[in-house]
Amino acid sequence: MSIYKNIFHYYRGQTRNDSEEIKQLQIENNTTKAFINVLQHSSPMLTMRFLEWMGLYAKETDKFEYMYQVSSELHRKTPQAVVVGIADTKEVKRTSQNKKYNIPDGAILSNSVSILIEAKIGLNSYLDINQLEGHKSRFAIGQEVQENIIITWDEVRAFFKKQLPFFEQLNDVLTCFLLKQFEEFCVINCMHRWN
């Protein structure tokens, strides 16, 4: 398996200031973007099934919008709104930092649901409750927001693995390709493996 054949693997040349923290952040950003791109460019059915898996719902007529690095407020109220945290562990910590301006890593939006995503990569990269709660200020004014949903990258990968036979049966070549490329990307970047 060549890393240069993976569509999500971003080659970044070395710089003088290549600290481990910068490399970790680059992997985190690339993984979040790859995850969002899989959903965005696959069959909308994959996003519908992903929402259902998390206990959310969407209508078959919903059109999904996907965002990366959400720096503006959402203006549409939806029946469901939630912050989803994805990390290597479900452990959520409270830090003493209280940022006034939080930027969610991504979003999935439709007429039925508004999801803001916060992603962390690495064994020492925990989700921070202050950051998750801070993201809630991005939702439309008066939006009722559900309790945060916390999932792991292993769970996301297992979900994708479970979807692969379904989309193979439909002969959905693009969705299958993207699911396989995402898994390969995770292996290349030494993330936890499927069980």
Side-chain angles (χ1 to χ4, degrees):
M1 158 177 46
S2 170
I3 61 174
Y4 302 109
K5 290 183 181 176
N6 184 277
I7 63 167
F8 297 124
H9 188 77
Y10 171 73
Y11 176 75
R12 181 178 160 274
Q14 291 186 345
T15 64
R16 288 184 196 171
N17 299 332
D18 248 359
S19 69
E20 282 305 311
E21 186 178 331
I22 289 173
K23 287 178 185 174
Q24 188 71 23
L25 183 60
Q26 187 66 46
I27 292 170
E28 186 173 287
N29 289 340
N30 289 345
T31 304
T32 305
K33 188 171 187 322
F35 167 71
I36 291 170
N37 285 161
V38 169
L39 295 173
Q40 181 177 15
H41 298 291
S42 292
S43 164
M45 219 179 321
L46 181 62
T47 298
M48 299 271 295
R49 292 168 77 101
F50 180 69
L51 295 177
E52 186 179 294
W53 174 70
M54 289 191 301
L56 303 169
Y57 63 88
K59 296 176 184 165
E60 286 187 32
T61 56
D62 276 359
K63 300 246 185 279
F64 295 102
E65 179 184 351
Y66 304 86
M67 298 171 71
Y68 181 69
Q69 296 292 320
V70 184
S71 59
S72 59
E73 281 70 32
L74 306 177
H75 298 290
R76 181 181 350 155
K77 280 191 192 178
T78 56
Q80 304 161 99
V82 66
V83 175
V84 174
I86 311 173
D88 289 333
T89 173
K90 288 191 175 189
E91 187 175 350
V92 178
K93 293 186 175 185
R94 181 178 300 278
T95 65
S96 57
Q97 285 184 324
N98 222 349
K99 290 183 180 178
K100 293 203 188 258
Y101 194 74
N102 287 310
I103 298 177
D105 295 320
I108 303 170
L109 309 168
S110 76
N111 287 331
S112 300
V113 65
S114 300
I115 297 172
L116 293 176
I117 299 167
E118 179 59 38
K120 298 292 182 195
I121 300 286
L123 295 175
N124 294 320
S125 297
Y126 298 97
L127 292 164
D128 178 353
I129 191 67
N130 291 332
Q131 189 175 30
L132 296 174
E133 292 300 313
H135 290 339
K136 291 181 178 178
S137 66
R138 294 270 176 210
F139 289 110
I141 294 171
Q143 172 73 62
E144 189 174 317
V145 182
Q146 296 172 225
E147 188 176 323
N148 299 332
I149 296 175
I150 308 299
I151 54 178
T152 67
W153 285 111
D154 278 347
E155 289 173 327
V156 169
R157 290 169 69 188
F159 168 79
F160 280 172
K161 180 180 181 183
K162 191 174 179 183
Q163 300 311 304
L164 192 56
F166 174 80
F167 288 102
E168 284 174 336
Q169 200 168 34
L170 292 178
N171 200 25
D172 185 335
V173 177
L174 179 58
T175 299
C176 292
F177 173 75
L178 292 170
L179 290 169
K180 290 175 185 176
Q181 286 288 294
F182 183 79
E183 176 57 23
E184 184 180 274
F185 172 84
C186 291
V187 171
I188 289 168
N189 287 286
C190 302
M191 292 173 64
H192 292 215
R193 314 247 172 175
W194 280 341
N195 297 330

